[in-house]
Amino acid sequence: MKPTTYQCELYESIDDVDQEEWREICRQTNNISLDPRFLKAVEISFAAESKIWYAIFRDENGRAVAATCFSRFMVDGSMMAPSTIQNLASRVRRVWSGFMRLPILLCGLPISMCDHQLAIAENVDDEALLTALDATAIKIARKARCRLISFKEFPPALAKRMDRLSQFGFLKARSVYAYHLEGEYGSFDKYLASRNSSTRQNIKRSFRRFDEAGLTCEQVLGRDGIEHLITPEVYELYVRVLERADVKFERIPLAFFHELARQMPDDSHYTIIRKGEKIVGFGCAVAGLGQHSLIVMGLDDAWNRDTDLYFNIVYRGIQDALVPGVRVIHIGAAADEFKQRIGCQGEWLSIYVKTANSWGNLFMQQIFKLCLDTQDAYNAPPPSSPQKPTPKPAKSAADTNRQKLELESLTIGK
């Protein structure tokens, strides 16, 4: 019996792809990041730092069996390494700025969505598809002069199919623990009623602090003039959050927020937090296919402790998302204790990495365990939150409240 083979067609712009065919393949994945409008926003806004290719794989009858995108991007090779390796990299970069910074070919987008960008039709031969994916990745990587190839970021169900990449020299590692809130609540009030008494009180307390500080929240769509709201000054709020993050995969350009609004005027959502006329926090999300994805936020840390600004941006994002028809809200990674407490479920995502040249894997295997988490992603428990320190005895009620706020602030992630 003749073995199954698939052929790849490559395109250098999403505009060149048959939109109906692309949507039909990707509709089965319920993945908003494969929406052509979202891809166009990334393609335009990341043009200065990333090159993107779009791939459709076909069987011998010309039927499209899979679709994905590849992107060339410069990454920090130490970003997911232990702190000792990261600190070493930082010191070396004082005299060698390019140390452990590598051009990499991603099967996926150069933006962290805590999700993959691979759509697979039904009744596909996995081994034949992975063979074609590997061959295509190598071809692009060599042309684009990428040293590494990475397929990212796959949830457990799909990772079990992707594990066959090991036969092509890929090494597997855990990426991040991604959270989502499931349930067709239809409104924030119904969601709130479903939480236990302690969680409800925490949420109401955060709302009360927000209101007492004189902050206001406005939910707007992309068509509501985002370029006048997400200004360079407001964009810096995101940059400050990024600088505090443990893992810094990419720095989303300001143009992304504006282009996303243009491409998805009714499906891009922005949470705008003000103190008077000044914007002190914002969140950005996209919606579609019964899902709502909180992508990124920015905030003024000076307002965070006394107003629970981070918590409020998340809560207001959830509030905006919980409309009839939305079944899943993706809430990203980090802030583990907080997201677990508000009812989110999570799962470890997996990545697969190899060098563009097979001989390079011999060296890569030696450093792989130092830089990446190779523990089992299928049975591993959720990440534990940092242990809270025991506070010293307080001399007054005011001191007690202040210490309580300080302890709570330790749970804040990116």
Side-chain angles (χ1 to χ4, degrees):
M1 184 175 179
K2 183 180 178 181
T4 301
T5 59
Y6 298 129
Q7 301 299 316
C8 176
E9 293 180 357
L10 282 176
Y11 306 86
E12 295 197 359
S13 173
I14 191 62
D15 292 337
D16 299 331
V17 178
D18 185 312
Q19 302 289 298
E20 284 303 313
E21 183 178 53
W22 182 275
R23 290 179 185 276
E24 181 59 33
I25 305 170
C26 297
R27 189 174 290 121
Q28 301 174 44
T29 69
N30 285 331
N31 188 332
I32 190 65
S33 66
L34 283 169
D35 186 306
R37 300 170 298 165
F38 185 84
L39 294 172
K40 185 66 174 178
V42 176
E43 178 184 316
I44 292 175
S45 59
F46 278 79
E49 53 209 279
S50 179
K51 169 66 178 175
I52 302 176
W53 295 263
Y54 305 89
I56 294 181
F57 295 85
R58 302 183 186 279
D59 63 17
E60 59 185 9
N61 298 315
R63 179 179 74 100
V65 298
T68 191
C69 51
F70 293 92
S71 55
R72 184 188 192 277
F73 197 65
M74 292 293 296
V75 298
D76 178 357
S78 69
M79 66 181 174
M80 298 180 68
S83 58
T84 52
I85 302 295
Q86 293 186 19
N87 292 337
L88 173 62
S90 296
R91 289 195 294 270
V92 174
R93 284 173 188 157
R94 294 171 187 171
V95 294
W96 180 11
S97 61
F99 179 69
M100 292 190 75
R101 298 190 191 278
L102 304 169
I104 188 170
L105 182 74
L106 304 171
C107 180
L109 292 172
I111 183 172
S112 301
M113 294 289 291
C114 288
D115 207 349
H116 62 96
Q117 283 82 47
L118 173 62
I120 305 175
E122 295 180 354
N123 302 317
V124 169
D125 184 314
D126 285 355
E127 185 165 353
L129 177 59
L130 293 179
T131 299
L133 281 165
D134 176 60
T136 301
I138 291 175
K139 177 182 176 181
I140 298 174
R142 290 176 178 172
K143 180 180 179 180
R145 298 183 179 180
C146 294
R147 300 180 186 179
L148 296 177
I149 300 171
S150 176
F151 283 59
K152 71 175 186 89
E153 291 174 312
F154 297 94
L158 186 52
K160 289 179 179 180
R161 299 173 68 178
M162 301 300 292
D163 281 349
R164 293 187 180 185
L165 284 170
S166 62
Q167 65 184 301
F168 303 107
F170 282 88
L171 304 173
K172 181 182 179 182
R174 287 195 314 191
S175 176
V176 297
Y177 195 80
Y179 289 95
H180 59 275
L181 182 66
E182 288 189 9
E184 199 164 346
Y185 298 100
S187 72
F188 189 77
D189 287 341
K190 290 182 179 179
Y191 158 75
L192 193 61
S194 73
R195 300 298 94 197
N196 61 38
S197 175
S198 176
T199 299
R200 289 198 302 272
Q201 291 305 312
N202 283 336
I203 293 174
K204 290 177 180 179
R205 181 184 60 187
S206 290
F207 281 177
R208 185 170 62 252
R209 287 178 178 166
F210 183 91
D211 293 337
E212 289 173 350
L215 300 182
T216 60
C217 176
E218 179 184 10
Q219 301 288 359
V220 299
L221 296 175
R223 55 177 161 78
D224 296 325
I226 294 305
E227 65 274 11
H228 302 299
L229 294 172
I230 310 298
T231 62
E233 180 182 13
V234 172
Y235 171 72
E236 283 300 313
L237 299 177
Y238 153 71
V239 174
R240 294 175 199 169
V241 171
L242 177 66
E243 289 173 346
R244 294 193 301 272
D246 292 330
V247 177
K248 306 175 182 67
F249 176 70
E250 84 288 337
R251 176 168 170 162
I252 299 174
L254 172 60
F256 171 77
F257 301 100
H258 301 163
E259 195 59 43
L260 182 66
R262 281 190 284 270
Q263 297 294 331
M264 306 180 73
D266 295 311
D267 293 319
S268 55
H269 295 243
Y270 297 81
T271 299
I272 306 297
I273 308 296
R274 287 187 173 92
K275 172 62 175 178
E277 293 299 315
K278 183 180 180 181
I279 295 176
V280 296
F282 75 93
C284 174
V286 290
L289 303 173
Q291 303 186 39
H292 196 104
S293 296
L294 308 184
I295 302 175
V296 70
M297 70 164 62
L299 59 87
D300 185 340
D301 197 50
W303 286 95
N304 193 32
R305 178 163 296 176
D306 293 332
T307 67
D308 286 355
L309 184 53
Y310 169 81
F311 297 147
N312 271 281
I313 293 174
V314 176
Y315 292 146
R316 310 290 170 149
I318 294 174
Q319 190 173 39
D320 183 47
L322 287 175
V323 297
V326 172
R327 300 179 297 276
V328 181
I329 304 174
H330 298 282
I331 309 185
D336 302 290
E337 181 181 345
F338 165 62
K339 292 173 183 176
Q340 292 166 17
R341 190 173 66 236
I342 64 175
C344 293
Q345 300 173 6
E347 54 191 2
W348 285 105
L349 304 182
S350 296
I351 62 173
Y352 302 82
V353 184
K354 78 170 185 176
T355 59
N357 296 297
S358 58
W359 58 265
N361 270 359
L362 297 175
F363 172 72
M364 181 178 170
Q365 289 173 357
Q366 303 303 315
I367 65 171
F368 191 70
K369 291 183 179 181
L370 292 176
C371 294
L372 295 175
D373 183 351
T374 58
Q375 296 183 61
D376 179 18
Y378 299 131
N379 302 309
S384 58
S385 298
Q387 190 68 33
K388 295 180 180 179
T390 303
K392 296 178 181 179
K395 296 181 179 180
S396 67
D399 289 337
T400 301
N401 289 336
R402 188 178 302 111
Q403 289 173 350
K404 188 176 181 181
L405 291 174
E406 289 171 354
L407 293 174
E408 289 170 348
S409 72
L410 296 178
T411 67
I412 296 172
K414 66 178 180 180

